[in-house]
């Protein structure tokens, strides 16, 4: 009997490795894109103390690490620009093989419905875009919609190659951005899409921000329940952003703001806090490019234009850029059907700022005003070739004195500077431009990009 027990024990021990479970988070999988020419973090789970070996087909180097007492392991590996497809092998007691990998440029996109909007939902020239979308050098990862009350370590989703079957359900802006980058850089492009329609910025931010910031706390209390998604702070950050925050990425694209018109006066603080918190979590000053929300009929008041102005002000943060949409919006449709133009504009910003291409990618940005008697001069950055749009040549500028009562002003462009004047204001102090929810800018620069609405009142 004792011999049988010993034999059974030996057999059990010899089979122990079969019960091991070297595994990876859902964001790692076949068909994925890893950031090229970078130190890329790979992580996962295994038995405590289990030795992990990582090898790849783009390098002869072997990396080793061990799972800690919590059954977790992570290690940085070096990628290069070697053409794929590649394979990544993770070996412990068992083996995991990731196949058909590419080394390229990896971007995260996020926000609400205009970022999530796909060709299948309805965009301009959808049939042609879908039909011509086959490209093995463009890969998509869609993060499944999930909420969580605390930060999660994993999420669900899968990597796919761009094709008519996959592109039609993926972010249209994300696809057009990737397509432009892939054509201009001639490298693989990977896009991770973590977006959810109808969501305010607060749900995409870590909870700790609201515990120590009374302004954010007050803004969050103003949010109203809706049928499209959650409004409780941090729910989507915990479930859809935190689990991928160890991924090495090149930058972030953001399209959101419509759901924050209810607390528009606080959006500058909200959005600034979001960007800083994400960069802090990634431990990197990542490029963060965002679309300004398009003009739309939000009813009375200035909620929509206040959000646009807040987004403009956030440009003071380093490595940020704003994509203009005022000339391609629809004041009767909060989901403009032109997703190609914003996608291209996002790509041009990245090409100019991240990849060093000589592209005029910036819209005119209000800089400062000067006064000479009753004349107000408005100065812009990126003002080369400043001109008035032909379709809507009327002045959208208004001037106010110290009483903050605004009156329409005559406009003239001289040497790329806007000259304003009105008889109604003897001593001009404040200027505002295109200051209506539905107003579409009519000032463009040499790049063909419109100026943002703004006010100097605050």
């Amino acid at each position: 009997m004792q011999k049988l027990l010993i034999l059974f024990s030996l057999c059990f021990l010899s089979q122990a490795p079969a019960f091991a479970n070297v595994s990876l988070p859902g964001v790692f999988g076949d068909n994925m894109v890893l950031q090229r020419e970078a130190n890329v973090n790979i992580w996962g789970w295994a038995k405590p103390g289990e030795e992990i070996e990582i090898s790849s087909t783009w390098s002869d180097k072997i990396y080793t690490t061990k799972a800690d007492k919590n059954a977790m392991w992570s290690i940085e590996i070096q990628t290069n620009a070697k053409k794929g497809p590649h394979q990544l092998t993770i070996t412990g007691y068992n083996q995991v093989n990731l196949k058909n990998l590419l080394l390229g440029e990896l971007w995260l996109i996020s926000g609400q419905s205009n970022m999530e909007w796909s060709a299948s939902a309805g965009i301009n020239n959808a049939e042609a875009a879908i039909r011509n979308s086959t490209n093995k050098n463009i890969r998509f990862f869609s993060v499944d919609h999930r909420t969580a009350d605390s930060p999660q370590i994993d999420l669900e989703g899968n990597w796919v190659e761009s094709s008519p079957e996959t592109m039609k359900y993926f972010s249209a802006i994300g696809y057009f951005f990737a397509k432009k980058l892939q054509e201009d850089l001639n490298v693989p492009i990977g896009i991770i899409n973590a977006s959810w329609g109808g969501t305010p910025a607060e749900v995409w931010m870590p909870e700790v921000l609201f515990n120590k910031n009374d302004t954010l706390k007050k803004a969050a209390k103003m949010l109203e329940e809706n049928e499209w998604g959650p409004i409780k702070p941090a729910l989507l950050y915990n479930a859809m952003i935190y689990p991928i925050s160890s991924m090495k990425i090149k930058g972030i694209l953001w399209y959101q703001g419509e759901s924050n018109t209810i607390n528009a006066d606080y959006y500058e603080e909200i959005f600034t806090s979001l960007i800083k918190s994400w960069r802090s979590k990634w431990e990197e000053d990542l490029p963060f490019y965002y679309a300004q929300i398009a003009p739309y009929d939000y009813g009375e008041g200035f909620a929509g234009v206040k959000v646009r102005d807040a987004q403009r002000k956030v440009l003071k943060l380093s490595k940020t850029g704003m994509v203009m949409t005022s000339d391609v919006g629809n004041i009767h449709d909060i989901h403009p059907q032109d997703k190609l133009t914003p996608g291209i504009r996002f790509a041009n910003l990245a090409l100019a700022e991240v990849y060093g291409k000589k592209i005029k990618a910036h819209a005119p940005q209000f800089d400062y005003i000067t006064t000479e008697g009753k004349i107000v001069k408005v100065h812009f950055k990126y003002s080369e070739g400043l001109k008035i749009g032909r379709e809507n040549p009327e002045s959208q500028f208004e001037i106010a004195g110290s009483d903050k009562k605004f009156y329409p002003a005559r406009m003239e462009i001289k040497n790329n500077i806007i000259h304003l004047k009105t008889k109604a204001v003897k001593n001009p102090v404040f200027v505002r431009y295109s200051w209506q929810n539905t107003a579409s800018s009519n000032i463009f620069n040499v790049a063909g990009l419109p100026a943002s609405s703004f006010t100097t009142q605050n």
Side-chain angles (χ1 to χ4, degrees):
M1 181 66 179
Q2 188 176 3
K3 290 182 178 180
L4 287 174
L5 288 173
I6 292 173
L7 181 61
F8 176 80
S9 297
L10 290 173
C11 289
F12 176 82
L13 289 173
S14 67
Q15 294 297 317
F19 295 96
N21 185 30
V22 174
S23 59
L24 298 171
V27 75
F28 292 101
D30 295 345
N31 308 312
M32 77 178 300
V33 172
L34 289 174
Q35 179 59 45
R36 62 176 178 153
E37 299 179 311
N39 292 319
V40 172
N41 190 35
I42 308 292
W43 72 97
W45 302 272
K47 290 178 68 67
E50 184 175 350
E51 293 189 357
I52 308 297
E53 182 179 283
I54 299 177
S55 60
S56 70
T57 56
W58 64 81
S59 172
D60 294 330
K61 187 170 183 178
I62 305 296
Y63 298 84
T64 59
T65 188
K66 282 187 178 182
D68 64 20
K69 64 180 181 180
N70 296 315
M72 300 186 69
W73 57 268
S74 69
I75 191 170
E76 281 191 351
I77 67 172
Q78 181 69 41
T79 60
N80 52 36
K82 188 176 180 180
K83 188 176 181 179
H86 294 289
Q87 180 168 304
L88 184 69
T89 301
I90 301 93
T91 304
Y93 293 146
N94 61 306
Q95 190 175 87
V96 177
N97 293 300
L98 303 184
K99 300 178 288 296
N100 195 30
L101 272 61
L102 296 178
L103 305 178
E105 298 298 290
L106 183 59
W107 286 76
L108 169 65
I109 66 174
S110 187
Q112 59 178 112
S113 54
N114 274 306
M115 183 62 87
E116 190 175 27
W117 205 260
S118 66
S120 66
I123 63 172
N124 293 346
N125 303 311
E127 291 184 6
I130 293 170
R131 184 172 61 250
N132 298 318
S133 63
T134 299
N135 191 329
K136 292 185 177 181
N137 283 311
I138 296 177
R139 308 289 175 86
F140 308 134
F141 183 90
S142 296
V143 178
D144 288 352
H145 286 186
R146 295 290 185 273
T147 61
D149 288 320
S150 60
Q152 302 297 295
I153 60 174
D154 202 359
L155 46 66
E156 295 185 28
N158 62 291
W159 283 96
V160 295
E161 296 180 352
S162 178
S163 70
E165 292 73 28
T166 61
M167 172 270 182
K168 68 186 296 185
Y169 299 113
F170 193 74
S171 162
I173 285 179
Y175 166 73
F176 290 126
F177 168 80
K179 184 174 184 291
K180 175 66 173 173
L181 282 194
Q182 204 282 314
E183 290 172 350
D184 284 33
L185 299 176
N186 195 28
V187 299
I189 306 296
I191 306 292
I192 298 174
N193 179 20
S195 55
W196 187 326
T199 53
E202 287 85 346
V203 300
W204 297 100
M205 300 161 63
E207 187 175 12
V208 66
L209 297 180
F210 300 89
N211 297 334
K212 60 183 183 180
N213 188 313
D214 290 338
T215 299
L216 295 181
K217 192 180 301 183
K218 182 178 180 180
K221 289 180 179 179
M222 297 173 68
L223 298 172
E224 297 179 350
E225 296 288 346
N226 65 68
E227 60 183 301
W228 306 289
I231 62 169
K232 182 181 176 182
L235 283 186
L236 302 192
Y237 173 83
N238 290 336
M240 298 175 65
I241 299 299
Y242 187 92
I244 55 176
S245 59
S246 294
M247 287 290 292
K248 180 66 177 179
I249 59 176
K250 197 67 173 184
I252 299 167
L253 308 185
W254 176 263
Y255 195 158
Q256 189 275 340
E258 295 91 345
S259 290
N260 280 99
T261 51
I262 195 168
N263 55 12
D265 289 328
Y266 302 101
Y267 193 71
E268 182 183 357
E269 176 79 8
I270 294 166
F271 192 31
T272 297
S273 299
L274 183 147
I275 294 173
K276 288 182 176 180
S277 69
W278 285 26
R279 286 175 168 174
S280 176
K281 182 57 186 170
W282 259 272
E283 298 182 347
E284 187 176 354
D285 196 17
L286 290 166
F288 199 110
Y289 303 135
Y290 54 93
Q292 187 183 63
I293 63 171
Y296 177 71
D297 187 2
Y298 290 98
E300 294 185 4
F302 300 99
V305 72
K306 283 183 177 181
V307 170
R308 298 203 301 270
D309 195 40
Q311 292 172 318
R312 177 190 64 84
K313 292 178 180 178
V314 172
L315 288 170
K316 65 180 179 288
L317 293 180
S318 65
K319 295 186 179 180
T320 56
M322 186 170 71
V323 165
M324 295 300 299
T325 63
S326 61
D327 58 330
V328 293
N330 184 335
I331 64 171
H332 303 297
D333 187 352
I334 205 167
H335 303 117
Q337 300 296 290
D338 183 353
K339 300 304 184 196
L340 173 62
T341 300
I344 295 297
R345 289 176 178 175
F346 268 123
N348 284 339
L349 270 177
L351 289 167
E353 295 292 324
V354 178
Y355 302 108
K357 301 294 184 179
K358 293 183 178 181
I359 298 174
K360 295 185 184 301
H362 297 88
Q365 293 177 14
F366 168 72
D367 196 7
Y368 62 95
I369 62 172
T370 57
T371 59
E372 293 182 6
K374 293 184 178 181
I375 297 176
V376 179
K377 295 182 180 181
V378 184
H379 302 256
F380 288 85
K381 299 176 183 177
Y382 310 109
S383 61
E384 182 183 356
L386 211 62
K387 62 181 180 180
I388 304 170
R390 293 181 179 178
E391 293 184 4
N392 184 17
E394 297 298 319
S395 173
Q396 295 184 26
F397 285 94
E398 298 171 276
I399 297 175
S402 57
D403 60 359
K404 298 183 180 180
K405 293 182 179 179
F406 284 89
Y407 298 90
R410 296 194 303 275
M411 172 184 65
E412 189 176 4
I413 300 177
K414 297 180 180 179
N415 298 320
N416 297 322
I417 298 173
I418 306 290
H419 290 237
L420 303 175
K421 188 177 181 179
T422 177
K423 293 181 179 179
V425 180
K426 293 182 179 180
N427 298 304
V429 178
F430 303 107
V431 174
R432 67 186 186 189
Y433 169 68
S434 200
W435 198 254
Q436 296 290 335
N437 289 338
T438 57
S440 298
S441 176
N442 63 347
I443 301 293
F444 296 81
N445 64 5
V446 70
L449 298 172
S452 170
S453 49
F454 72 86
T455 180
T456 66
Q457 182 174 334
N458 299 317

